[in-house]
Amino acid sequence: MRRSRTVVGGVLTGIGTAAFVDETVFHQLLHWHHFYDLSTTDAGLVSDGLFHAGSWLAMVAGLVLYADVRRRGALVPAAWWGGLCLGLGGFQLYDGTFQHKVLGIHQIRYGVDLAPYDWTWGGIAVLFLLAGALLLVRARRTAPRAASSRTASPTASRSR
């Protein structure tokens, strides 16, 4: 239970972070695309606003879960970081494959060869997903040892 809440908090924070960076850098600063480019610029701007609101909802929910498990003393840091990386990579992979290629609601950029952008986008996603998976494996291996050392300590101190 504690690890799953920790992982979900990390995943939501990762999704919120990736979406925030995407929206801030590619939508607002570089003006490469909007969340929805199949209509007018005004519709694109409205879609950006809704996308931004959704990213912040994910971020707030993730940080609330983080604060809750930390307050309860149940935080598993490697699991949270693993979840964060899974959220970052999952968002990137979903955005780059489903939104860009399947739905075609926007591309990373227009008027250029997309291959280098697509490969970079997907490569970053895979790296984050691999890092997240490795961190979750590490958390799974170290959590039982940490839990057994916590339960062994009160027993040892009572026997003295």
Side-chain angles (χ1 to χ4, degrees), residues 52-141:
H52 189 66
S55 72
W56 276 107
L57 285 174
M59 177 68 78
V60 168
L63 292 177
V64 165
L65 282 173
Y66 175 86
D68 179 57
V69 293
R70 186 163 186 239
R71 181 184 58 82
R72 293 173 191 256
L75 178 66
V76 181
W80 189 84
W81 284 105
L84 180 90
C85 287
L86 288 179
L88 289 165
F91 175 86
Q92 282 290 111
L93 190 62
Y94 166 79
D95 184 42
T97 57
F98 193 68
Q99 290 183 356
H100 294 185
K101 300 305 173 198
V102 175
L103 296 178
I105 61 174
H106 67 262
Q107 291 299 322
I108 296 172
R109 198 162 178 199
Y110 295 98
V112 297
D113 178 18
L114 289 176
Y117 293 94
D118 289 340
W119 282 103
T120 302
W121 204 264
I124 290 169
V126 168
L127 290 175
F128 274 121
L129 289 169
L130 287 173
L134 290 172
L135 285 165
L136 288 179
V137 166
R138 178 177 171 224
R140 186 176 300 258
R141 288 183 182 160

Side-chain angles (χ1 to χ4, degrees), residues 2-3 72-77 139 142-158:
R2 70 183 208 162
R3 187 169 54 238
R72 293 173 191 256
L75 178 66
V76 181
T142 59
R145 281 188 242 137
S148 65
S149 68
R150 279 194 293 268
T151 56
S153 189
T155 309
S157 62
R158 275 190 242 141

